[in-house]
């Protein structure tokens, strides 16, 4: 019996992971889901609780926790309920849990990730932002307490498999492939593209934040930093390649010129399953690849000019210290502002650049408290700048979205950037 905590179970990765667990158990494996977490989607969490019977469920706030407790009691379900980051920390460090799948979105995943690693647990890591903001601290904590980080991100799972989970000796380059996101083939200005278009990813079905990060190419910059920390390879040796078919998930080039790649149809259940069953392999949920059906695989150099977020993310990674936390914090705020239609698509890199330009951080080694302070500063700065640069007077209130928040629609007037 392998006990697993799934943090972010109501998200795209979380739902896919529970599907993988169900399939593996049907095929004779014995995974027991011990903790599940939602932030706002309590309705889906309830369904998951009925199927997986976790000991602990975590929600976003105290009110939802009280509601869930009453609901479970009413149905005679034995369940502990916790909330917020403290709740996630509890889910990450439960005794007896063998593996923590960290699939929350954003830097909020850092504290629970460190808690799991301090308990020496193995972590299947989807939550890349935690590694972006504090990669050195995360890797040092894993090393110190003996836990292993198994990447879930498809590119990093590919690299991990090409390196056979082992050392990074003899590497010339890591080559991260990128679909190019929603706008890679689009001609003309991106300043007026809409939210729905940006969420229309050509090959992957994912959560909203990462889908926007793919459209700006921010995601690939974040993934370069992620690979740097996971595999101990300097950023200069990490190369980015646009590959629109998303069949080759990444490659390792060795000093003798050999390249190893991992290929499959784009379906996150495959890297999730590999992280759960590592070092073993089980029959997968994804249709095998028939290369003669694919016929053509294309590769292009990324367009850094058209997608400035990619350069900004890489620049933050090269500077190190708290710069990646600053970039990431600003980006999280900017993406949310775009999703709420408060800034245009091209406002995302502009806001990130403004925040980076204002940061007065040092370049040396930094501790966790300095990183968390920089993260908080970047978020406040980005929020203030987004209002300054795009005042509500430049927009009209349009409608209420699903979460009840106001959406804003651009007037004919141009954005301030
Ligand atoms: P989703 O937005 O679909 O899901 C995010 C999950 O985190 C949900 O369970 C959500 O809860 C929860 N959550 C959101 N905000 C908070 C918060 N403040 N505190 C605690 N929990 C929160 O994201 P994805 O599943 O797409 O992505 C998850 C992570 O995996 C991200 O870091 C992403 O970069 C990474 N990743 C995702 C891939 C994918 O295919 N989706 C591929 C590679 C990496 P609720 O829905 O209940 O509000
Ligand atoms: Mg990826």
């Amino acid at each position: 019996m392998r006990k697993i905590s799934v943090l972010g179970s109501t998200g795209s990765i979380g739902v896919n992971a529970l599907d993988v667990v169900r399939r593996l158990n049907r095929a004779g494996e014995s995974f027991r889901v011990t903790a599940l977490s939602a932030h706002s989607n309590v309705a889906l969490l309830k369904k998951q609780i009925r199927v997986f019977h976790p000991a602990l469920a975590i929600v976003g706030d105290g009110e939802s926790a009280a509601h869930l407790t009453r609901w479970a009691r009413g149905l005679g379900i034995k369940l502990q309920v916790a909330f917020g980051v403290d709740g996630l920390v509890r889910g990450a460090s439960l005794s007896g849990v063998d593996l923590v799948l960290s699939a929350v979105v954003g830097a909020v995943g850092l504290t629970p990730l460190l808690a799991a690693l301090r308990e020496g647990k193995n972590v299947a890591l989807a939550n890349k932002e935690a590694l972006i903001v504090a990669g050195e601290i995360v890797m040092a904590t894993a090393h110190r307490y003996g836990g292993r980080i198994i990447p879930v991100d498809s590119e990093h799972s590919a690299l991990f498999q090409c390196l056979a989970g082992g050392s990074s000796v003899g590497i010339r380059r890591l080559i991260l492939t990128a679909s190019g996101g929603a706008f890679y083939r689009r001609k003309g200005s991106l300043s007026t593209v809409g939210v729905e278009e940006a969420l229309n990813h050509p090959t992957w079905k994912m959560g909203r934040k990462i889908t926007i990060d793919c459209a700006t190419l921010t995601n690939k910059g974040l993934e370069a930093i992620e690979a740097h920390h996971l595999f101990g390879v300097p950023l200069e040796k990490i190369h980015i390649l646009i590959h629109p078919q998303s069949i080759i998930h990444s490659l390792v080039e060795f000093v003798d010129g050999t390249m190893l790649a991992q290929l499959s149809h784009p379906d996150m259940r495959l890297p999730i399953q590999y992280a759960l069953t590592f070092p073993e392999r089980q029959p997968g949920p994804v249709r095998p690849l028939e290369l003669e059906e694919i016929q053509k695989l294309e590769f292009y150099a990324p367009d850094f000019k058209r997608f400035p977020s990619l350069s900004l993310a890489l620049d933050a990674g090269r500077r190190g210290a708290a710069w990646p936390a600053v970039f990431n914090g600003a980006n999280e705020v900017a993406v949310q502002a775009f999703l709420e239609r408060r800034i245009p698509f091209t406002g995302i890199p502009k806001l990130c650049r403004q925040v980076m330009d204002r940061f007065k951080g040092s370049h040396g080694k930094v501790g966790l408290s300095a990183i968390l302070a920089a993260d908080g500063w970047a978020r406040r700065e980005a929020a203030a700048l987004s209002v300054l640069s795009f005042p509500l007077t430049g927009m009209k209130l349009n409608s209420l979205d699903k979460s009840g928040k106001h959406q804003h629609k651009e007037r004919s007037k141009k954005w301030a950037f």
Side-chain angles (χ1 to χ4, degrees):
M1 168 88 70
R2 294 191 71 195
K3 290 189 179 175
I4 173 170
S5 282
V6 182
L7 307 183
S9 64
T10 48
S12 165
I13 292 284
V15 166
N16 275 319
L18 292 180
D19 181 55
V20 167
V21 165
R22 212 168 33 92
R23 285 166 187 267
L24 286 171
N25 283 348
R26 269 199 216 138
E29 294 286 312
S30 50
F31 283 96
R32 162 109 175 81
V33 177
T34 309
L36 290 171
S37 96
H39 187 58
S40 57
N41 195 347
V42 180
L44 177 55
L45 181 66
K46 285 179 181 171
K47 288 186 189 158
Q48 296 177 340
I49 290 167
R50 280 171 173 276
V51 176
F52 291 96
H53 312 291
L56 175 69
I58 301 133
V59 287
D61 56 54
E63 206 179 307
S64 307
H67 166 80
L68 194 66
T69 305
R70 280 195 302 276
W71 170 82
R73 207 174 287 146
L75 290 172
I77 297 172
K78 211 170 147 227
L79 182 72
Q80 295 174 49
V81 179
F83 65 92
V85 175
D86 290 349
L88 293 172
V89 166
R90 216 171 122 191
S93 40
L94 275 180
S95 81
V97 163
D98 305 290
L99 183 71
V100 175
L101 171 67
S102 179
V104 299
V105 60
V108 69
L110 175 61
T111 309
L113 171 62
L114 290 173
L117 293 172
R118 283 193 200 110
E119 292 294 321
K121 296 195 189 301
N122 291 332
V123 177
L125 186 66
N127 173 234
K128 66 186 80 182
E129 293 89 350
L131 209 50
I132 305 310
V133 299
E136 274 162 30
I137 294 171
V138 168
M139 296 312 289
T141 308
H143 193 247
R144 177 163 174 205
Y145 294 94
R148 181 152 207 173
I149 298 179
I150 307 144
V152 167
D153 211 347
S154 57
E155 296 76 4
H156 305 76
S157 176
L159 297 169
F160 187 74
Q161 293 180 58
C162 292
L163 295 166
S167 88
S168 42
V169 173
I171 292 174
R172 180 181 286 154
R173 289 187 303 170
L174 300 180
I175 302 171
L176 291 174
T177 52
S179 67
F183 301 127
Y184 204 74
R185 290 187 190 279
R186 189 175 170 127
K187 302 264 181 291
S189 166
L190 296 177
S191 59
T192 56
V193 297
V195 170
E196 299 314 322
E197 293 170 277
L199 286 173
N200 189 16
H201 195 283
T203 49
W204 296 97
K205 210 175 160 333
M206 307 178 285
R208 286 155 65 88
K209 191 262 179 183
I210 187 175
T211 306
I212 301 302
D213 282 349
C214 288
T216 55
L217 287 195
T218 296
N219 185 50
K220 219 40 62 176
L222 298 181
E223 289 186 351
I225 303 172
E226 186 184 3
H228 159 65
H229 291 300
L230 283 172
F231 304 110
V233 171
L235 271 175
E236 311 80 76
K237 290 189 178 183
I238 301 174
H239 189 77
I240 290 162
L241 193 62
I242 304 294
H243 166 44
Q245 291 82 11
S246 297
I247 295 291
I248 296 186
H249 299 302
S250 277
L251 309 93
V252 180
E253 182 186 6
F254 294 93
V255 286
D256 61 0
T258 295
M259 278 187 176
L260 294 184
Q262 185 256 340
L263 289 74
S264 74
H265 287 292
D267 186 322
M268 284 309 294
R269 289 176 304 171
L270 196 50
I272 291 169
Q273 173 166 311
Y274 187 71
L276 262 50
T277 61
F278 173 81
E280 280 156 29
R281 288 185 189 271
Q282 298 294 340
V286 183
R287 175 170 72 91
L289 198 57
E290 303 293 347
L291 284 171
E292 59 272 33
E293 274 176 27
I294 308 284
Q295 292 188 354
K296 200 165 97 179
L297 296 176
E298 297 162 283
F299 307 98
Y300 306 99
D303 186 340
F304 287 89
K305 242 177 128 180
R306 195 161 156 74
F307 297 93
S309 291
L310 178 55
S311 305
L312 281 174
L314 292 172
D315 184 38
R318 275 190 289 267
R319 291 174 187 223
W323 293 91
V326 167
F327 174 78
N328 180 74
N331 181 58
E332 285 191 31
V333 170
V335 169
Q336 189 58 32
F338 171 67
L339 285 169
E340 290 172 6
R341 295 168 167 81
R342 289 186 280 110
I343 67 169
F345 183 75
T346 45
I348 299 173
K350 285 175 181 164
L351 212 51
C352 292
R353 187 189 300 278
Q354 285 187 336
V355 174
M356 297 256 292
D357 284 348
R358 285 163 187 240
F359 184 56
K360 302 271 185 290
S362 67
H363 289 264
K365 219 178 161 108
V366 284
L368 190 57
S369 55
I371 285 176
L372 295 177
D375 169 85
W377 174 85
R379 284 168 200 270
R380 287 191 299 278
E381 204 69 12
L385 283 166
S386 71
V387 174
L388 269 178
S389 305
F390 307 104
L392 275 177
T393 50
M395 298 177 275
K396 82 176 183 205
L397 290 174
N398 176 30
S399 59
L400 291 174
D401 72 9
K402 273 189 266 164
S403 65
K405 288 183 192 137
H406 285 293
Q407 293 184 349
H408 306 104
K409 196 175 181 187
E410 195 180 351
R411 270 193 195 155
S412 54
K413 172 177 179 295
K414 276 270 175 230
W415 295 100
F417 269 144

